[in-house]
Amino acid sequence: MDFTFAPEYVALRKMFREFAEEEVRPLAKTIDREHRVPHETLKKGAKIGLLGVPFPTKYGGMGAGETGYCIMMEEFGRVCTSTITNIGAHIGIGAMAIYLDGTEAQKNKYLTPLASGEKIAAFALTEPNAGSDAAAIRTRAVREGDSYFLDGSKIYITNGPIADIVSVFAVTDPSLGARGGVTAFIVETNWEGFKVGTLENKMGIRGSSTSELIFDNLRVPQENILGQTGLGFITAMKTLDLGRVSLGAGCLGGAQAALEAAMQWAKARNQFGASIAAKQSIQWMVADIACEIEALRSLVYRTAWMADSGQPFSREAAMCKLYGSEVASRTINKALQIHGSLGYSRDHPIERAWRDARISEIFEGTNEIQRTVIASELFKEIGVRVRS
Amino acid sequence: MKIVVAMKQVLDPRGFTVNRKAEKIFVNREEWITNPADLCALEAALALKDKLGAEVVVLSGGPARAGDALRDAWARGADRAIHLSDKAFSTADGCVAARILAKAIDKVGAVDLVVCGDRALDTGAGEVGPRLAEALGWPQVLGALDVSVQDGHAHAVKPDGAGYAELEVGLPALVTLAAGANQPRYPHGGRIMESYRQYQPEAWTAPDLGLSEDELKPLVDQRGQSFPPERQRGTLLDSPEELVRLLKRNRVI
Amino acid sequence: MDFALTEEQQMFRDMFRSFAQKEIAKVAEHADKTEQVPPELLSKAAEQGMLGALVPDNFGGAALDPISYALLMEEIGRACLSTAVVVACHTSLVTQAVLDFGSDAQKKYWLPMLASGQSIGAFALTEPDAGSDTHSLATRARRTDDGNVLNGVKTWVTNAGIAGVFLVVASSDPRANGRGLSAFLVEKDTPGLKVGQRDLTLGLRGASVHTVYLDNVHVPEANRLGAEGDGQAMVEHVLAHYRLALAAAGLGLGAAAVEAGVKFAAERIQFGGPIANKQAIQNYIADSSAQVEALRYLVYHTAWQAEQGSHLASGAMYAKLFAAQATRFVTDKMVQVHGGYGYIEDYPIARLYRNARSLDLLGGTGELMRVGIAINLFKSQQLEISP
């Protein structure tokens, strides 16, 4: 077992870190305050391949696989959760669905401009009455000749307001439900019948844009069916699996950065005649956080390796998301406490990190769903079929 | 047009702390980076490549880890990256380094411009550039902030007192760039991947360069290292009244 | 043991709840968005006697007993934690200090103004280098012929932007290591007192918290509260009251969060039925409810101890420590019950989550509470421990 990263990943990480420090960090506070997407940063990143990290070079990607993508999410996650949310929705699920289940023609047409960052992607599954119960989606796709007409709406779609291409999941056969009745479509947002709805006012990740998407008799040509007709749910689940690993990596970065900040503060802050790093309460927090981060680090990169080497990794992916999001929340909460009142001030990055971290336990499949997935996989291995 | 960039690695200063009291340097995290001024030199060369279609050749000495710096240079856009790699080079001082580089530049052949950083973060000596220019017999401009090429001449801008001086030298010439002269571009991620998976820097040894043992003997013999004496710090005063009291006490007023 | 509220306390509770739900709850979101508790709301609360909750009626106050005051704080906290903190700081820190350490003349002068809300009290203790460690206080109070001169910087001064009077704790003898602290009442427009920049915060956005500068502020001797050197004891005394008030407000917030979670879980349909059918959701709600129940009895028991005349300091530390932990747990779980809706500011739970986080910092961090509790426990073993 070789636990070291290959030198190209070490070099890649160096570049990601530099970009994160020079380009992402300076805008982190601003985009949160102004509630806007850092388009300028995404454009700069696109120029050096950051919007296509995992995709093969033949589609204009960087060819760095899930491992390289996780490294970027970790490095950027150290600095700005909003930015990794924007990138994550674009690469991790939006474009990823097309990469996993698109035809060669679809990949050439859509994946290539997405990998180069020329176009932005989004992933539209969730609906008002289909959150964790994704099978309950109602957006309808009715076939007419060589087209499908979509009607319905999606909510809480990251990149909704800025996407050019959206992977949309709709019901093609209501009688079959999730098993055979849902189809994935590649939708271009400038088509007639596509509308961006309400922009959500979120507690955190305010540097990313989340909105409703409305489809009103939206015509989609049949060559834009993604994957197999009726098997859209499988496409969705496969895509979300990969998204979960990289989300875990983003949480890892956020947790690590919070630990470093808390330690620097503990070193500098003098009370009771010494730096507070001398206090066992502080030391215990630091030690506990560090253990969790180490465990998460191993979990994330082993899972990325499993994905890159073609092994099944669904269960581990759910663990990455579940454990990563909870470690980040716990860590950042402790780090805020170490900062004292300063951590409650909007002038301090840890305050923003605290608000930003909370979403990770909810989106991309709530942690309740992750636990359901993990438990049912584990019980399956001993012959017990459990249902949510 | 052919440009040679000479670079070396230095220890990342963010990875070590200096303890004055103990007169020790603690390396908490050993990480090697390309000398910042050299990166600026590379950036200047790449900018000239973008503008004039020049060929950029990067040279670097150092142990095996220099391969990372060379690959990084290639990923940023250099056409060739050559490792001057030989055990006999490890004792090189500034004079010997210049000698090695001069031979390498001869071997590259038909070079119009050599750019390198004006000084290294670790030694701060700034001697390789001028020594190299002398060894080549070329004109030199040191500490430039910008270099451009026109009609067989290099134009350089450098700080001069409170302002700037513009210099013009005939090619071939050597120009050293100051750290911070420009903002080095990011290497494209795909090129970083390729730089390890597909590319292999070239390697030249002492025999390849035709250097004898004598030519590689350093001029300077380092006998020891010590910290400079502690600077006397002043006292921070709380108020004007305290200043007056102090001046009175010392019979200044 | 009779755990029932008296008839009068039940009446107070109903009155407080009615007012809070009718007047305070409806502006809670607005207060958070605009970062201000509406002045009209404070006036209305003053009219109800809430700003003079503990002041004897001969000074225009409502003369509430400690349990009724806790009921008041619970109901305000249930509606809006920002408002609760504004009231608690004014009442439990500033007004309480005047009540328990003021001379007759001072009480006569200050209490009616504080009780009527004509003057809101702000509390200036914390400094850049003196957070948990109040021994490091650097604001100096120097005696002059006609009074005192104060110099220093105070941070995290709650109510600073709306205050008519500041209770400032200063050091008259820095070498006395915490035993040389004195407290002064400084009126708003006193020359040299400047309310500086505001601290924009994660939660409690309706509370006005600022840095305050004291630049050669002349304070007459008549405005010294208590004797010279009484400062430390006064601070400990009023902080105990404040901590209990915060715990009671936290109780209200926690109860509101559970209620919101129960309602949401009952209405949200997923997987063919309300999510209340899912055992995990049931567990979150049960555990949260248990935390709130435990907090309830801790708060009211501590309030009862105060009524009995017991030394409040210890009980108040338990109450606040636990309130911080319980409300953090509860609001976190209730956000999770709400799923994506729990992250959208259009729903109250996100605000409750942000607000609850303050309780582990305000009035002394949880770490400080633990130290205080440990010190008290080890005293019984004749062992003196220090932070």
Side-chain angles (χ1 to χ4, degrees):
Chain A
M1 288 202 282
D2 185 353
F3 284 81
T4 56
F5 284 101
E8 57 265 32
Y9 288 117
V10 176
L12 211 55
R13 184 186 287 275
K14 251 186 174 159
M15 184 269 276
F16 289 150
R17 181 163 300 199
E18 206 187 306
F19 190 89
E21 289 299 325
E22 300 295 317
E23 310 294 338
V24 181
R25 187 188 288 281
L27 284 179
K29 183 177 184 177
T30 310
I31 61 176
D32 176 71
R33 288 237 166 137
E34 293 177 12
H35 199 188
R36 69 171 179 89
V37 172
H39 291 287
E40 58 271 58
T41 313
L42 296 176
K43 281 201 177 74
K44 275 190 194 164
K47 282 209 188 92
I48 53 173
L50 302 190
L51 296 188
V53 175
F55 306 122
T57 51
K58 79 166 172 172
Y59 303 115
M62 208 192 271
E66 188 68 12
T67 300
Y69 179 43
C70 284
I71 294 174
M72 179 175 71
M73 292 293 271
E74 181 192 345
E75 290 302 321
F76 286 15
R78 286 168 57 88
V79 163
C80 180
T81 309
S82 289
T83 300
I84 57 170
T85 302
N86 299 332
I87 294 177
H90 168 77
I91 294 181
I93 47 179
M96 189 62 77
I98 298 172
Y99 171 61
L100 291 175
D101 273 348
T103 61
E104 204 55 35
Q106 287 170 335
K107 284 192 254 206
N108 287 324
K109 181 172 183 188
Y110 292 113
L111 186 58
T112 306
L114 290 174
S116 71
E118 192 196 313
K119 299 210 163 148
I120 298 294
F123 180 92
L125 174 62
T126 303
E127 293 181 11
N129 34 265
S132 293
D133 188 7
I137 57 171
R138 289 189 199 154
T139 296
R140 200 67 176 83
V142 178
R143 185 172 184 169
E144 255 182 58
D146 62 356
S147 304
Y148 281 81
F149 286 85
L150 268 56
D151 272 284
S153 65
K154 300 289 186 184
I155 53 163
Y156 298 155
I157 306 304
T158 306
N159 288 353
I162 64 170
D164 303 294
I165 293 161
V166 186
S167 301
V168 180
F169 298 84
V171 177
T172 33
D173 189 340
S175 67
L176 294 174
R179 299 183 179 287
V182 172
T183 304
F185 295 90
I186 303 174
V187 171
E188 295 182 32
T189 62
N190 57 4
W191 286 346
E192 180 92 38
F194 179 95
K195 207 175 93 174
V196 174
T198 330
L199 182 70
E200 300 293 351
N201 183 21
K202 308 186 297 289
M203 168 164 62
I205 52 165
R206 293 174 69 79
S208 79
S209 55
T210 310
S211 74
E212 195 187 7
L213 294 181
I214 302 160
F215 317 119
D216 184 9
N217 210 37
L218 166 66
R219 185 189 154 267
V220 181
Q222 94 187 351
E223 56 264 25
N224 275 41
I225 291 178
L226 181 57
Q228 311 243 43
T229 311
L231 299 183
F233 224 64
I234 295 178
T235 304
M237 294 304 118
K238 265 200 298 196
T239 309
L240 287 170
D241 274 352
L242 271 170
R244 284 163 191 171
V245 189
S246 50
L247 181 57
C251 292
L252 170 64
Q256 179 69 33
L259 174 63
E260 288 169 15
M263 290 180 68
Q264 286 299 326
W265 175 254
K267 174 180 169 186
R269 176 63 168 168
N270 270 15
Q271 289 284 266
F272 307 104
S275 83
I276 62 174
K279 297 296 176 201
Q280 282 194 331
S281 297
I282 305 299
Q283 292 166 13
W284 260 232
M285 282 193 240
V286 163
D288 288 345
I289 292 172
C291 285
E292 298 227 87
I293 289 175
E294 272 310 295
L296 176 61
R297 183 179 304 284
S298 296
L299 177 61
V300 165
Y301 286 108
R302 177 169 170 263
T303 308
W305 166 78
M306 289 165 82
D308 283 338
S309 53
Q311 302 172 56
F313 66 96
S314 253
R315 185 174 81 210
E316 289 75 8
M319 290 179 175
C320 286
K321 197 278 188 186
L322 170 61
Y323 192 58
S325 60
E326 295 192 351
V327 167
S329 285
R330 275 197 285 276
T331 301
I332 292 168
N333 188 54
K334 287 194 176 109
L336 189 153
Q337 192 66 14
I338 291 175
H339 282 84
S341 302
L342 206 58
Y344 206 68
S345 160
R346 301 217 292 278
D347 267 338
H348 201 284
I350 197 75
E351 180 271 342
R352 180 178 66 248
W354 191 90
R355 282 185 289 111
D356 287 350
R358 191 60 183 83
I359 190 61
S360 297
E361 298 179 59
I362 299 171
F363 71 0
E364 288 217 27
T366 62
N367 284 4
E368 287 66 44
I369 291 300
Q370 306 308 322
R371 287 185 166 92
T372 308
V373 165
I374 294 165
S376 72
E377 293 256 337
L378 286 167
F379 276 111
K380 198 166 28 168
E381 285 179 11
I382 62 165
V384 181
R385 287 210 65 204
V386 296
R387 302 205 147 269
S388 64
Chain B
M1 184 178 175
K2 203 186 291 191
I3 308 173
V4 161
V5 180
M7 56 170 47
K8 79 168 207 181
Q9 286 181 314
V10 294
L11 255 185
D12 188 343
R14 289 170 300 186
F16 59 78
T17 43
V18 174
N19 187 323
R20 258 222 132 267
K21 272 210 174 81
E23 293 220 342
K24 275 208 180 95
I25 297 173
F26 293 98
V27 180
N28 307 309
R29 192 177 29 96
E30 185 178 324
E31 246 188 75
W32 292 89
I33 56 172
T34 302
N35 181 41
D38 295 344
L39 257 190
C40 290
L42 173 63
E43 175 57 34
L46 292 173
L48 286 172
K49 174 180 171 174
D50 288 338
K51 209 163 159 212
L52 310 167
E55 185 192 343
V56 174
V57 180
V58 174
L59 304 174
S60 182
R65 53 172 162 75
D68 292 324
L70 288 162
R71 289 189 149 99
D72 174 74
W74 184 86
R76 286 173 202 258
D79 298 287
R80 285 172 77 188
I82 305 167
H83 189 189
L84 307 174
S85 171
D86 196 308
K87 226 172 96 187
F89 294 165
S90 61
T91 53
D93 58 7
C95 174
V96 173
R99 219 172 261 161
I100 297 169
L101 285 167
K103 281 278 164 90
I105 288 163
D106 274 341
K107 188 169 158 73
V108 170
V111 175
D112 300 293
L113 177 67
V114 170
V115 280
C116 54
D118 68 342
R119 71 193 64 248
L121 259 190
D122 50 7
T123 61
E127 63 171 312
V128 173
R131 284 188 184 276
L132 178 55
E134 284 301 301
L136 292 166
W138 294 359
Q140 55 182 266
V141 178
L142 308 177
L145 297 174
D146 184 60
V147 54
S148 55
V149 169
Q150 240 173 308
D151 313 315
H153 284 84
H155 294 254
V157 176
K158 56 182 277 186
D160 179 42
Y164 300 98
E166 282 183 31
L167 289 87
E168 187 188 279
V169 284
L171 297 177
L174 179 141
V175 177
T176 72
L177 268 91
N182 53 42
Q183 180 75 312
R185 65 195 60 191
Y186 296 103
H188 191 286
R191 287 278 285 189
I192 295 178
M193 297 300 290
E194 274 177 72
S195 75
Y196 285 89
R197 291 186 174 172
Q198 266 126 43
Y199 179 71
Q200 179 66 37
E202 301 164 56
W204 289 348
T205 60
D208 288 331
L209 298 178
L211 284 160
S212 70
E213 206 183 285
D214 265 337
E215 286 174 293
L216 294 173
K217 221 183 287 180
L219 268 186
V220 175
D221 176 29
Q222 194 184 283
R223 289 181 191 165
Q225 284 181 310
S226 67
F227 275 60
E230 183 112 42
R231 252 180 59 191
Q232 278 291 72
R233 289 179 176 275
T235 329
L236 199 63
L237 300 175
D238 267 340
S239 64
E241 292 79 42
E242 219 187 314
L243 173 64
V244 169
R245 255 181 276 128
L246 206 64
L247 291 171
K248 278 193 177 153
R249 202 185 308 148
N250 285 278
R251 301 228 162 78
V252 179
I253 54 174
Chain C
M1 286 196 284
D2 185 353
F3 285 79
L5 296 172
T6 65
E7 242 183 79
E8 187 189 49
Q9 287 164 346
Q10 284 175 52
M11 185 195 75
F12 277 142
R13 183 198 56 201
D14 294 340
M15 208 170 81
F16 300 151
R17 182 169 299 180
S18 166
F19 178 84
Q21 290 305 307
K22 193 158 150 272
E23 303 292 343
I24 305 179
K26 71 174 187 199
V27 297
E29 188 181 335
H30 181 74
D32 180 73
K33 275 208 174 88
T34 57
E35 311 215 45
Q36 186 195 39
V37 171
E40 317 84 71
L41 176 60
L42 286 178
S43 304
K44 281 191 193 155
E47 273 165 40
Q48 296 282 312
M50 291 175 179
L51 298 186
L54 306 169
V55 174
D57 47 22
N58 61 316
F59 290 113
L64 293 182
D65 64 278
I67 289 180
S68 299
Y69 178 55
L71 286 167
L72 173 65
M73 290 310 305
E74 180 187 345
E75 291 311 319
I76 299 180
R78 187 193 305 277
C80 175
L81 199 70
S82 291
T83 305
V85 168
V86 170
V87 173
C89 173
H90 168 85
T91 305
S92 296
L93 288 172
V94 183
T95 310
Q96 191 76 42
V98 176
L99 266 170
D100 295 339
F101 289 81
S103 64
D104 286 336
Q106 285 172 329
K107 286 192 225 187
K108 208 161 147 204
Y109 180 77
W110 293 106
L111 291 179
M113 277 204 279
L114 292 167
S116 66
Q118 184 192 332
S119 199
I120 299 289
F123 187 69
L125 170 69
T126 300
E127 294 175 7
D129 289 330
S132 296
D133 185 7
T134 49
H135 284 190
S136 306
L137 230 54
T139 297
R140 286 280 273 124
R142 245 185 290 261
R143 273 195 189 275
T144 61
D145 295 327
D146 54 353
N148 302 272
V149 175
L150 304 182
N151 274 288
V153 182
K154 292 293 188 184
T155 50
W156 298 99
V157 181
T158 306
N159 287 350
I162 58 171
V165 61
F166 295 76
L167 177 58
V168 179
V169 181
S171 166
S172 22
D173 184 0
R175 286 158 304 172
N177 201 32
R179 280 182 288 278
L181 299 183
S182 295
F184 299 89
L185 290 165
V186 184
E187 282 177 276
K188 181 173 104 169
D189 292 314
T190 308
L193 174 86
K194 194 179 104 156
V195 175
Q197 76 197 73
R198 185 171 178 183
D199 294 298
L200 297 178
T201 46
L202 170 57
L204 293 189
R205 290 182 182 174
S208 143
V209 180
H210 294 251
T211 297
V212 172
Y213 301 93
L214 300 147
D215 188 10
N216 282 336
V217 178
H218 285 259
V219 181
E221 191 57 26
N223 282 31
R224 178 195 296 274
L225 201 53
E228 180 163 343
D230 266 356
Q232 185 67 24
M234 181 187 310
V235 164
E236 278 167 19
H237 178 84
V238 299
L239 275 177
H241 284 268
Y242 187 51
R243 286 165 186 165
L244 179 55
L246 290 176
L251 168 62
L253 181 151
V258 171
E259 199 184 311
V262 167
K263 191 158 176 287
F264 187 86
E267 290 172 355
R268 173 69 170 162
I269 311 287
Q270 287 284 267
F271 304 105
I275 61 174
N277 287 335
K278 296 296 177 195
Q279 193 164 67
I281 301 296
Q282 294 162 12
N283 290 345
Y284 298 160
I285 286 176
D287 286 337
S288 297
S289 180
Q291 295 276 304
V292 171
E293 277 303 286
L295 178 59
R296 176 174 301 287
Y297 292 99
L298 185 56
V299 165
Y300 286 104
H301 181 254
T302 310
W304 172 81
Q305 283 182 317
E307 193 181 52
Q308 301 301 304
S310 293
H311 189 50
L312 192 54
S314 192
M317 283 191 275
Y318 284 118
K320 198 180 89 73
L321 175 63
F322 189 69
Q325 292 168 345
T327 55
R328 162 110 189 110
F329 177 86
V330 169
T331 53
D332 181 53
K333 287 293 181 230
M334 294 305 103
V335 162
Q336 197 66 13
V337 165
H338 281 74
Y341 298 91
Y343 204 68
I344 307 292
E345 293 285 358
D346 300 348
Y347 294 79
I349 194 68
R351 182 176 71 251
L352 298 188
Y353 178 66
R354 286 186 286 106
N355 287 348
R357 188 60 182 85
S358 67
L359 293 176
D360 211 8
L361 300 164
L362 211 58
T365 61
E367 286 65 43
L368 198 62
M369 299 304 100
R370 289 182 185 94
V371 163
I373 291 167
I375 286 175
N376 284 340
L377 289 169
F378 282 107
K379 251 187 205 143
S380 69
Q381 300 290 306
Q382 274 80 54
L383 185 62
E384 219 183 283
I385 59 174
S386 56

